[in-house]
Amino acid sequence: MNYSALKQEIADLAIKAGRDPAEIALVAVSKGISWHRMEQAYSQGCRLFGENRLPELDGKIQEAPSDIQWHWIGHLQKNKVSKVIASCSLIHSVDSLDLACKISTLSSERPTRILFEVNASGEATKQGFAPAELQKLFPELQALPNLQIEGLMTMAPFTKDPLPIRKTFATLRQLRDKLATPDNPLPHLSMGMSNDYPIAIEEGATLLRIGTALW
Ligand SMILES: *Cc1c(COP(=O)(O)O)cnc(C)c1O
């Protein structure tokens, strides 16, 4: 499906779910995709791309127009933080207190926008904070300087069964509702990939990370 068609489908699904399409952004996950192919999405208006490898991101930044926003969506090693915060406008995948501290320390020139990755399905293979762990650490995380905490991210189990998927997304939304305050409403829920984005839209996603369905 090309970018325009996917955007239209997302807008239709949003309206069906009683939501405003304007509050749902599509992050085109372009890992492994050459800039040459990404350019078609760009020409149809895509300005938001998600990457998870630094050499690949650096190469594409050289080739691509400068009005693109790059989002970091993969596990982030501490020795790569300074490069990633210099080139990405949002990090979806902050998955430990240690990593949050490192980003905080290196963001003294300007705050870094982040999401916390949550292992909302409880699968042993998944990265991220356990929901109870994030709740416990949240005061400490919020006290770190130079971080703009904008919400939460998760990945659903890879399955055809919609029930565990929906449950994972609902868990993320409920956790966000618990952590949100009037001072920081944690507006973003980054959830929904090629396999499950229609469910994510119904459960409140504001950032869809979609690769395979697009390319
Ligand atoms: C690859 C990836 C995606 C996109 O997955 P698709 O199934 O190709 O849509 C989304 N989020 C993360 C964290 C990824 O690594």
Side-chain angles (χ1 to χ4, degrees), residues 29 31 52 73-74 153 155 192-195 209-213:
V29 175
K31 62 188 186 204
N52 65 359
I73 61 162
M153 179 272 233
M155 288 168 86
M193 310 179 7
S194 295
N195 186 46
R209 310 179 311 271
I210 299 179
T212 313

Side-chain angles (χ1 to χ4, degrees), residues 110-175:
R110 71 184 157 100
T112 297
R113 298 171 55 215
I114 64 165
L115 309 176
F116 292 120
E117 180 169 355
V118 178
N119 181 355
S121 64
E123 289 165 284
T125 52
K126 288 235 167 23
Q127 312 266 3
F129 294 92
E133 181 192 16
L134 185 62
Q135 261 190 292
K136 191 170 130 240
L137 288 174
F138 205 65
E140 199 173 337
L141 290 162
Q142 263 190 318
L144 294 170
N146 316 319
L147 295 182
Q148 200 166 308
I149 301 169
E150 299 199 353
L152 307 178
M153 179 272 233
T154 199
M155 288 168 86
F158 190 76
T159 165
K160 285 205 164 68
D161 181 358
L163 278 178
I165 296 174
R166 188 178 298 282
K167 191 161 167 257
T168 302
F169 294 156
T171 298
L172 194 73
R173 189 189 63 241
Q174 287 154 9
L175 180 61

Side-chain angles (χ1 to χ4, degrees), residues 30 33-42 49 60 70:
S30 47
I33 305 295
S34 67
W35 167 248
H36 180 70
R37 289 189 63 199
M38 293 161 64
E39 207 163 12
Q40 197 191 352
Y42 180 86
F49 291 94
K60 286 173 182 173
W70 302 95

Side-chain angles (χ1 to χ4, degrees), residues 74-106:
H75 180 63
L76 178 52
Q77 291 166 292
K78 285 206 260 342
N79 62 353
K80 308 238 164 89
V81 167
S82 65
K83 286 202 163 152
V84 166
I85 64 179
S87 42
C88 292
S89 64
L90 180 68
I91 301 174
H92 291 231
S93 46
V94 178
D95 57 7
S96 71
L97 175 60
D98 249 21
L99 177 59
C101 289
K102 182 80 182 181
I103 298 171
S104 170
T105 306
L106 293 174

Side-chain angles (χ1 to χ4, degrees), residues 35 38 42 46-49 64-70 87:
W35 167 248
M38 293 161 64
Y42 180 86
C46 183
R47 295 294 180 273
L48 204 49
F49 291 94
S66 59
D67 62 346
I68 286 175
Q69 286 194 45
W70 302 95
S87 42

